[in-house]
Amino acid sequence: MRTPERTVLLAFVCAIAILLRAGFVAQTYVKDPLRTDAGQYAQYSHNVVHHGVYSLDEGPDPQPDSFRSPGYPALLAAVRWVAGEDDWYEWARWLQVALGVAMVPLSFLLARTALRDGPALIVAGLVALSPHLVACTGYILTETLCGLLLLLALWFTVRMAEGKGRLAAIAAGVTLAFAALTNEALVLLPLPLLWLLRRRVGWRGMTAFGAAFLLIMGAWTARNQVLVKDPARSGSYRALITLSHGTYPGWVYQSEASRFSAYLEDPEQPSFGTSWSRFREVMAERVRERPLRYLSWYLLEKPYWLWSWSILQGQGDVYVFPVADSLYETQAAANATRLLMKGLHPAILVLLFLGLVRWLWRARTHRVAVDVLGATLVYVTAVYVVFAPWPRYSIPLRPELYLFAVWTAVHVARRCYRSFKRRNAVCCSSRSTTSTNSAVPSS
């Protein structure tokens, strides 16, 4: 595909992304938008701007903590400082429109390292249409920022592995560190990436990448060691809470009425989710009672739930928090894109599964991007299988999901085409031989 054609088509895809995201933010009303996680991010940004302290406390003398990662609250603090108290919320959502749209061309650039222009444009189109990515632009949540930072980090990682120098390695380490500061689940992602790419990158590239990553993460860790005195205000405390929330098979403790909120009726909570020793005792007892059920939950059901379509809590479907006058409810064209993506989702998950099985079987391919994507998808799935696999947590990975699924589809199509050509050649050769033999007169 020539450059002008590619540019025009990519611009068209970006225009669709702009229309959907801007339309969602302009039209959709989020009910009680600063609840739970969103309210905590907003409180952190308030304390940073007005008190100069990263804290979740409400009051005149907030104390430092590390309960939430600082990446997204830092962005909100910058918006709050520029826009002021009255307008920061709307400014933040419109900024997320820009960040969400930026994921489209970046997805195309990453896809082009593994695919031709046509399939890469399909990947960009899926990212543009993804209703989960569209809806997240309207919430004060980490998904949009985390998705963009992770995508940028993986693109720099591929550039590093392709021999683009230490500058690419440093950029990869820095962007991945910022992604990990937005979503702490990514903090160990450098380990599988560097192990997989060690021969391609070399010790200099690995050192540059690791030093850049550790410098930023080390600064945050050092700050926490010095300033955070209460363990209950730390990220590890919240990690244990999340870990306990993901231990209920089928999301149920006893009754279906509390499904997806099973921890609310568990008498062992909150001690079960706030003490490592108590957690080990309770889990050991429960696994002994139902070993096969827990085996199925952790190995089969949790990965499925993580990558499933509907956001399980709240309003469901693609909405993290309940909304009114949603773009997808009032605009038929927008809803058609949602229905299209929902219809494609099962096929995309099948392609993801087939692609990961093939990738794990071969351990690596000749495409650096495929190896980077495979390692990232396996790592993230493994992390949330251990913790709580809420489908919302996979939203930042939608571009990587689509890219890997399209790569698998292209690979399957090529295999089928080559098999068809071989069979056709054998068939033609057999017919030619038969025709020649029939033309030879019998003696």
Side-chain angles (χ1 to χ4, degrees):
M1 186 179 296
R2 292 179 297 179
T3 300
E5 296 172 344
R6 182 172 61 239
T7 303
V8 169
L9 290 173
L10 183 58
F12 176 74
V13 173
C14 290
I16 294 175
I18 293 172
L19 289 174
L20 287 173
R21 285 155 178 79
F24 189 90
V25 168
Q27 181 169 323
T28 305
Y29 171 73
V30 180
K31 302 175 184 178
D32 190 12
L34 300 182
R35 65 175 73 192
T36 59
D37 295 9
Q40 292 184 355
Y41 298 135
Q43 184 62 36
Y44 274 115
S45 69
H46 176 273
N47 286 333
V48 169
V49 172
H50 294 282
H51 300 285
V53 178
Y54 187 77
S55 173
L56 190 55
D57 287 346
E58 297 181 14
D61 186 28
Q63 297 301 305
D65 67 55
S66 60
F67 190 73
R68 292 281 180 184
S69 298
Y72 188 63
L75 177 69
L76 293 184
V79 173
R80 202 165 197 147
W81 183 76
V82 172
E85 287 299 315
D86 295 334
D87 299 324
W88 75 267
Y89 171 73
E90 288 301 323
W91 276 51
R93 298 209 304 165
W94 284 105
L95 174 60
Q96 289 184 159
V97 169
L99 299 180
V101 172
M103 295 171 70
V104 175
L106 190 54
S107 298
F108 175 76
L109 290 176
L110 182 59
R112 280 193 70 205
T113 63
L115 299 166
R116 298 192 179 192
D117 287 345
L121 283 168
I122 293 175
V123 173
L126 293 172
V127 174
L129 295 178
S130 172
H132 293 89
L133 293 175
V134 170
C136 275
T137 59
Y139 295 116
I140 303 301
L141 294 171
T142 63
E143 276 68 24
T144 300
L145 177 62
C146 180
L148 178 64
L149 288 173
L150 178 59
L151 199 57
L152 190 61
L154 297 183
W155 185 71
F156 278 126
T157 301
V158 172
R159 300 279 293 176
M160 171 186 70
E162 291 176 339
K164 302 303 179 182
R166 273 175 285 183
L167 187 60
I170 294 172
V174 169
T175 49
L176 190 52
F178 284 130
L181 288 177
T182 305
N183 183 349
E184 63 273 19
L186 301 174
V187 70
L188 297 180
L189 181 56
L191 297 180
L193 290 180
L194 289 179
W195 173 260
L196 191 67
L197 302 175
R198 63 192 185 281
R199 294 178 181 173
R200 287 170 167 148
V201 175
W203 69 269
R204 291 184 178 179
M206 293 175 65
T207 301
F209 178 96
F213 181 86
L214 292 175
L215 182 64
I216 295 173
M217 296 302 300
W220 171 246
T221 302
R223 175 261 182 195
N224 297 337
Q225 292 294 323
V226 173
L227 298 179
V228 180
K229 306 300 182 182
D230 185 358
R233 300 164 63 90
S234 66
S236 60
Y237 183 86
R238 188 169 66 85
L240 180 55
I241 295 174
T242 306
L243 184 66
S244 71
H245 289 180
T247 60
Y248 302 97
W251 301 109
V252 175
Y253 177 68
Q254 285 182 336
S255 65
E256 284 287 337
S258 65
R259 195 178 190 194
F260 307 130
S261 300
Y263 49 88
L264 294 179
E265 67 174 11
D266 185 356
E268 296 292 347
Q269 292 279 5
S271 63
F272 173 49
T274 56
S275 168
W276 285 104
S277 60
R278 186 59 183 154
F279 177 85
R280 288 191 294 268
E281 292 173 5
V282 173
M283 276 301 295
E285 180 180 349
R286 291 178 179 180
V287 170
R288 279 196 299 268
E289 292 175 354
R290 297 191 297 168
L292 294 181
R293 185 67 188 92
Y294 275 91
L295 186 66
S296 171
W297 173 239
Y298 276 88
L299 295 185
L300 301 177
E301 297 171 60
K302 273 192 166 188
Y304 166 77
W305 284 115
L306 176 64
W307 296 103
S308 60
W309 175 268
S310 178
I311 305 297
L312 301 179
Q313 294 178 313
Q315 186 168 323
D317 196 51
V318 301
Y319 306 107
V320 179
F321 301 148
V323 300
D325 300 322
S326 168
L327 175 73
Y328 292 116
E329 296 172 355
T330 60
Q331 299 294 328
N335 191 49
T337 65
R338 184 188 68 85
L339 293 175
L340 171 65
M341 293 299 293
K342 188 174 183 179
L344 290 175
H345 195 69
I348 289 172
L349 293 188
V350 170
L351 290 171
L352 171 66
F353 174 76
L354 294 176
L356 287 178
V357 168
R358 177 182 180 272
W359 180 78
L360 289 169
W361 183 263
R362 295 190 59 182
R364 64 170 56 195
T365 69
H366 64 286
R367 296 287 189 180
V368 176
V370 175
D371 292 338
V372 169
L373 288 170
T376 301
L377 291 168
V378 169
Y379 166 83
V380 170
T381 302
V383 167
Y384 287 121
V385 161
V386 173
F387 290 90
W390 299 111
R392 170 190 155 193
Y393 295 161
S394 68
I395 292 176
L397 276 293
R398 283 299 193 269
E400 291 78 7
L401 167 65
Y402 298 144
L403 205 169
F404 204 82
V406 171
W407 172 79
T408 304
V410 169
H411 175 74
V412 170
R414 285 175 179 170
R415 296 267 322 245
C416 291
Y417 177 70
R418 290 169 184 168
S419 178
F420 172 77
K421 284 186 67 176
R422 284 196 299 268
R423 291 181 181 179
N424 191 48
V426 170
C427 182
C428 290
S429 176
S430 177
R431 289 177 181 176
S432 176
T433 302
T434 302
S435 176
T436 301
N437 290 338
S438 63
V440 176
S442 58
S443 57

